[in-house]
């Protein structure tokens, strides 16, 4: 990711935060539309799950400017997701749902440039999580 992309993700996320629980509702509704089988992984209160999603996004977005601190947290998250049964191909599904959610939440502000910045961020984070999960399995 370029420093400019980091700034774009961070500034656009500030427009997402006021949407609050709507972010989780949009994301999980879309995720389960894309892959209904993922629903079985979420036995908890979905409103609470949505709050966790927004909190984790906030940590990740802010951490993009401090990757040395963020990467170990993301690796640990990837190992936990492996314990939940998440497989690498599902990261693509999550990415699709996330981009759709951002598009709905940001509207016209979700420009191609912002989309590319978020895609770079998600690519970095998801590949880090996948690598950590694979290392754990090895």
């Amino acid at each position: 990711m370029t420093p400019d992309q980091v700034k774009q993700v961070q500034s656009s996320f500030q427009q997402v935060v006021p949407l609050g629980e709507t972010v989780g509702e949009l994301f999980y509704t879309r995720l389960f539309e894309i892959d209904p089988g993922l629903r079985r992984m979420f036995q908890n209160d979905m409103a609470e799950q949505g709050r966790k999603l927004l909190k984790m996004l906030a940590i990740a977005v802010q951490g993009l400017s401090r990757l040395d601190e963020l990467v170990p947290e993301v690796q640990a998250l990837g190992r936990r997701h492996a314990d939940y049964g998440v497989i690498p191909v599902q990261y693509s599904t999550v990415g699709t749902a996330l981009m759709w959610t951002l598009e709905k939440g940001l509207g016209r502000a979700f420009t191609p440039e912002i989309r590319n910045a978020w895609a770079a961020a998600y690519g970095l984070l998801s590949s880090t999580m996948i690598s950590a999960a694979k290392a754990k399995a090895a």
Side-chain angles (χ1 to χ4, degrees):
M1 287 191 73
T2 68
D4 194 43
Q5 287 176 318
V6 170
K7 289 177 187 172
Q8 291 168 344
V9 168
Q10 290 174 337
S11 65
S12 64
F13 185 68
Q14 292 309 308
Q15 296 172 309
V16 172
V17 171
L19 299 173
E21 290 187 15
T22 302
V23 173
E25 292 169 12
L26 287 169
F27 174 79
Y28 287 107
T29 298
R30 184 66 181 141
L31 183 67
F32 302 147
E33 286 173 356
I34 297 168
D35 186 347
L38 291 176
R39 182 69 177 95
R40 65 179 166 69
M41 292 184 168
F42 298 91
Q43 302 301 320
N44 298 333
D45 173 19
M46 291 310 296
E48 177 62 24
Q49 190 66 40
R51 287 188 287 278
K52 288 179 183 179
L53 170 70
L54 197 56
K55 181 178 178 182
M56 183 52 60
L57 282 173
I59 291 168
V61 165
Q62 292 310 309
L64 290 174
S65 53
R66 300 178 326 276
L67 286 178
D68 58 322
E69 296 173 22
L70 179 63
V71 166
E73 291 181 48
V74 174
Q75 290 170 328
L77 185 62
R79 290 187 291 271
R80 284 195 308 274
H81 277 73
D83 290 341
Y84 302 147
V86 176
I87 58 175
V89 70
Q90 292 168 328
Y91 284 88
S92 176
T93 304
V94 168
T96 299
L98 177 62
M99 297 303 258
W100 182 89
T101 301
L102 292 166
E103 181 177 5
K104 295 299 176 195
L106 292 171
R108 290 184 181 177
F110 197 59
T111 64
E113 189 175 49
I114 297 296
R115 175 185 288 279
N116 290 339
W118 274 96
Y122 185 75
L124 172 69
L125 298 172
S126 63
S127 65
T128 300
M129 291 174 71
I130 292 167
S131 294
K134 286 181 179 179
K136 178 183 178 173

